[in-house]
Amino acid sequence: MEEILRLGEISCPSGVLVVIDGGHLGLWSGERSPAETDPAVLGVEDAAMAADVRDSVDFAVVGPDASAAARGFGRQPGDMLHDIPASRVAELEAVFAEHCRTAGIDARLEAMPRREPHAQRARRTAAEGGGGFLMFGIPVVAVGGVPRDRRLPVLASRVDFGDGIGPRWSEMLVRMSEARAASTVRLGDIGVDWARVLFGDADALNDWQHDEPVDGLADVAFWGAAEEEAAAVFGAPRLGEPGEDGVHGWVGLTLPEAIEKARAVQTWKEENGLRMMVDFRPHSHHWHVMRQVRASEVESGTVDIGDARLLCAMTSWGDGYFPVSADLDATGALVAVRVSFSGAGE
């Protein structure tokens, strides 16, 4: 039996909705070129590889048969190829040219003078009817035509998938209107590596602070086999955060204080070879959302950025690639945006 639950509400004053893994928003470039993103954030430490990533190129597929060529090439969604490492540019151009020659189509790759910022990718994709694009190889979905003037409910349907799986989300849905859906269009997939999905206004994401505290404060939390011993050594109280029974640490520290305590506990743990997790939590937008997620029975939370409200929820399936679709009414207006998890356990 399907159970419908309300996860919360969003607002989208730009009219462009982005569906993305909320754990990856530290990579979002906003209006800046992705070339300004430090490759270390992507896990790239090697200097030569970092330069290769920094010097990546975006290509537009152009020509009379551009759409057919991009579709047939199948490397990325849409008529753009983003974030091609400098060392792979010549190879990609040759492979694409051979693809067009073999298929008998008239198209070519045109290098962009500047890499396309992620906010611009979202707006362009929405203007083209909605769909997917890549952010450093991570699939993201954007769709336009979202009501700008009101809060929109975010619902989720929970189904018991039986032995070995149990109750999980089968889909999440942002409802735009109560109109009857006349058709459904597949927009693309989102790539999830942090077990969470975020629904956010494209413009509001430009002001998202993923790791930097919005109030200058941070928490330190630790838990695990050595937790009680650590609490005694460092005089740490129970954290007292909803949904985190048994976790010790400190809340509302200044950033320097939090860094000092987190390093001290981590060093003590490593020097003594103890089993324990230590978590440094700056009061960022991501922290505000995840604090609510941990306390919520439906594992969701919201954060307001300007006039926009963003919502993040755990998938209940962990990581994977999950399809996103749009329901349209008889006039082509947007009725709902859906993220489907129903095939995740197959």
Side-chain angles (χ1 to χ4, degrees):
M1 180 179 294
E2 184 179 52
E3 181 183 14
I4 307 296
L5 298 171
R6 188 183 182 95
L7 301 183
E9 295 178 329
I10 66 167
S11 54
C12 195
S14 75
V16 176
L17 176 66
V18 175
V19 187
I20 188 172
D21 179 342
H24 278 310
L25 279 176
L27 305 178
W28 186 264
S29 73
E31 305 294 348
R32 297 176 295 109
S33 166
E36 298 179 34
T37 299
D38 185 349
V41 179
L42 300 165
V44 178
E45 301 291 347
D46 178 79
M49 189 177 297
D52 197 31
V53 170
R54 231 183 332 256
D55 294 337
S56 293
V57 178
D58 287 356
F59 286 99
V61 182
V62 299
D65 302 322
S67 293
R71 265 196 320 272
F73 198 51
R75 297 290 182 92
Q76 295 190 23
D79 293 349
M80 296 279 292
L81 297 174
H82 292 112
D83 309 322
I84 307 302
S87 63
R88 303 294 299 276
V89 164
E91 176 191 356
L92 181 76
E93 289 177 316
V95 172
F96 185 82
E98 178 61 18
H99 159 68
C100 292
R101 187 192 66 78
T102 302
I105 51 182
D106 185 1
R108 69 184 190 281
L109 294 181
E110 186 174 282
M112 304 296 290
R114 176 177 182 260
R115 287 169 65 190
E116 188 177 33
H118 296 141
Q120 185 176 329
R121 296 183 195 186
R123 289 193 296 268
R124 177 184 52 77
T125 299
E128 293 171 353
F133 61 89
L134 297 188
M135 178 186 72
F136 295 115
I138 301 159
V140 178
V141 165
V143 62
V146 178
R148 304 166 182 253
D149 57 350
R150 62 182 182 274
R151 295 276 173 85
L152 306 170
V154 183
L155 309 174
S157 56
R158 185 158 57 193
V159 173
D160 190 338
F161 286 85
D163 293 343
I165 299 179
R168 304 277 182 95
W169 300 129
S170 63
E171 73 170 14
M172 294 178 187
L173 175 151
V174 182
R175 183 167 294 286
M176 316 299 172
S177 79
E178 296 301 323
R180 183 184 297 274
S183 62
T184 299
V185 177
R186 173 76 174 265
L187 296 173
D189 294 334
I190 55 167
V192 174
D193 296 309
W194 294 82
R196 63 202 64 163
V197 176
L198 182 136
F199 302 93
D201 178 87
D203 288 352
L205 290 181
N206 296 337
D207 296 318
W208 177 271
Q209 292 183 212
H210 195 70
D211 296 311
E212 293 296 318
V214 296
D215 58 3
L217 303 178
D219 301 344
V220 177
F222 57 85
W223 64 93
E227 176 191 338
E228 295 296 339
E229 185 179 352
V233 169
F234 291 96
R238 291 194 181 276
L239 202 63
E241 288 289 292
E244 294 200 288
D245 294 339
V247 179
H248 283 77
W250 302 270
V251 298
L253 303 176
T254 65
L255 208 53
E257 289 174 329
I259 292 171
E260 181 181 355
K261 285 188 179 294
R263 284 176 175 167
V265 176
Q266 182 69 26
T267 300
W268 174 83
K269 166 199 159 180
E270 292 173 355
E271 288 178 346
N272 291 279
L274 299 173
R275 294 172 54 203
M276 188 176 69
M277 292 295 297
V278 182
D279 196 13
F280 174 68
R281 299 174 176 176
H283 290 190
S284 63
H285 289 129
H286 189 234
W287 173 85
H288 278 283
V289 165
M290 294 309 297
R291 184 177 182 228
Q292 297 171 58
V293 166
R294 288 190 289 269
S296 167
E297 292 184 1
V298 292
E299 294 188 308
S300 70
T302 62
V303 63
D304 293 338
I305 300 179
D307 293 331
R309 172 164 292 182
L310 296 73
L311 181 144
C312 185
M314 306 305 287
T315 67
S316 78
W317 291 97
D319 302 334
Y321 292 90
F322 303 110
V324 181
S325 59
D327 291 344
L328 308 176
D329 67 16
T331 70
L334 191 63
V335 173
V337 172
R338 303 173 181 270
V339 181
S340 176
F341 306 105
S342 57
E346 296 176 357

